[in-house]
Amino acid sequence: MHRIRAAFRPRLGAQLAGALAALPAVEASDTSHTFWVYPGGVIADGHPFRDDLAGETFVWTSSLADVARCIEAARGAASEEAGADVAGLETLEDARPPEEAPRPLSPEERRTRGAIRTLSEEPGQAGYVYAKRSGRDVEIEVLREHAGRVLKAEQLYHDGRMVLDYANPIEALRPYLSDRTLAHYATIDLRWNAGDTCSPEELAALFHAAGMELSEPIAAFETTCGGLTFAGLSWGIYSYIKRGFALRAIEGSMSLRHARSHSRRSSVSAAPWRMRSMCPCSGPVRTVMPPSGYARSSRSTSR
């Protein structure tokens, strides 16, 4: 039973077979799938059971050294177009403070380390994978990056996978909250969503497009709290801009008077939302009214 499944894109079966001295399995191949076998595993162009993965090459093996050779072969064959993901191995996770995260790899570092992209381009999953060698010891490292920082560093050894999580919401808030508050947050469904935050440069561009300058306190707030979500609501500035709430307020599409008149017509209290920092943000509190059509129930506002 093979413990590791490595996936590569584009199809690189012939190149990976050459790197592992694998032989064609003619009897198992057809017009859509090509197989190779070698003493340590199996290589397949196209997934044998999933047509949606026909453009990928898969390697099933129990040897991390084989995966390292495949990554190096993929880098040499497809260069910037190559991508890979490695699944399998028992996983241990360790939450770490965000400030301990390594910096993202520069283009020169990616080149010298022979790194190739991960197959997934989803926020929070995209990144780079490369092999590290020390004598006969081999390990695979995956750095998952978003918004200019490393979210997770995955270290694959011959007997398991260690995931260092630098995007854990509890660790992100630890410098700013009491132990009692953190203990409470640990019991609720507090999450971090990479799609609900962005880099400071992207946030500054959004503010500039609205005719405003991004202040340091707001940028610091987004760096710490951007992407944190609870009960479907996000704490960050970018998520409100993305959904159009704050952007409409910034552009003057909804005045305070209109919001109040809408509140009276609907007979509910539409208290303004306040985005207040719990972190290095010490600037003024900005009040953003909820968009048209949003109403809180009288029950929730009567307390």
Side-chain angles (χ1 to χ4, degrees):
M1 188 65 152
H2 304 305
R3 300 184 303 129
I4 305 171
R5 189 203 73 173
F8 296 85
R9 190 190 304 135
R11 278 197 179 202
L12 296 166
Q15 292 87 342
L16 304 189
L20 299 178
L23 300 176
V26 179
E27 66 282 0
S29 303
D30 54 31
T31 56
S32 300
H33 305 87
T34 305
F35 291 85
W36 294 261
V37 295
Y38 69 103
V42 178
I43 303 171
D45 266 348
H47 196 283
F49 306 116
R50 292 183 56 181
D51 292 339
D52 60 316
L53 300 178
E56 299 180 8
T57 295
F58 296 87
V59 179
W60 288 273
T61 181
S62 293
S63 169
L64 210 59
D66 289 352
V67 177
R69 282 193 286 270
C70 288
I71 291 174
E72 292 160 354
R75 172 71 180 184
S79 187
E80 295 300 321
E81 289 76 34
D85 270 326
V86 183
L89 298 176
E90 183 178 353
T91 300
L92 296 176
E93 293 199 18
D94 184 15
R96 296 290 183 89
E99 60 270 17
E100 292 185 5
R103 58 179 176 79
L105 297 178
S106 67
E108 177 63 19
E109 289 172 322
R110 295 198 296 266
R111 186 187 67 80
T112 57
R113 298 188 190 190
I116 60 178
R117 294 180 296 106
T118 57
L119 290 185
S120 176
E121 294 296 328
E122 292 295 319
Q125 294 298 315
Y128 294 90
V129 54
Y130 57 94
K132 296 173 64 176
R133 297 181 180 274
S134 178
R136 294 185 177 182
D137 295 330
V138 177
E139 65 181 77
I140 307 295
E141 184 155 285
V142 184
L143 296 180
R144 303 198 184 273
E145 306 173 2
H146 180 69
R149 66 190 184 105
V150 172
L151 306 180
K152 292 185 178 183
E154 304 177 15
Q155 299 166 341
L156 284 69
Y157 305 95
H158 71 281
D159 56 352
R161 177 196 301 252
M162 171 62 75
V163 178
L164 304 180
D165 184 2
Y166 300 106
N168 181 277
I170 300 298
E171 290 300 321
L173 296 174
R174 189 175 298 280
Y176 314 110
L177 302 177
S178 67
D179 291 342
R180 182 178 179 181
T181 303
L182 289 172
H184 171 69
Y185 280 162
T187 66
I188 64 177
D189 191 23
L190 182 65
R191 301 185 181 185
W192 190 86
N193 182 5
D196 278 342
T197 188
C198 65
S199 68
E201 293 76 17
E202 292 175 288
L203 191 61
L206 290 171
F207 270 68
H208 179 75
M212 299 182 64
E213 182 178 350
L214 178 64
S215 66
E216 290 186 9
I218 293 296
F221 180 87
E222 182 65 26
T223 298
T224 301
C225 296
L228 295 180
T229 61
F230 171 66
L233 298 177
S234 179
W235 296 10
I237 306 299
Y238 171 76
S239 65
Y240 286 92
I241 295 177
K242 185 177 71 172
R243 289 171 173 81
F245 298 172
L247 189 58
R248 283 197 294 272
I250 291 172
E251 293 175 342
S253 61
M254 177 178 289
S255 67
L256 182 61
R257 179 179 300 176
H258 175 78
R260 286 175 175 170
S261 64
H262 174 75
S263 173
R264 286 194 295 270
R265 287 195 303 271
S266 58
S267 299
V268 298
S269 174
W273 295 356
R274 289 183 177 269
M275 295 183 289
R276 185 184 300 275
S277 165
M278 296 185 301
C279 47
C281 175
S282 57
V285 175
R286 179 176 298 278
T287 298
V288 179
M289 296 305 302
S292 175
Y294 177 91
R296 298 172 183 243
S297 69
S298 58
R299 176 179 299 178
S300 64
T301 58
S302 63
R303 288 185 284 181

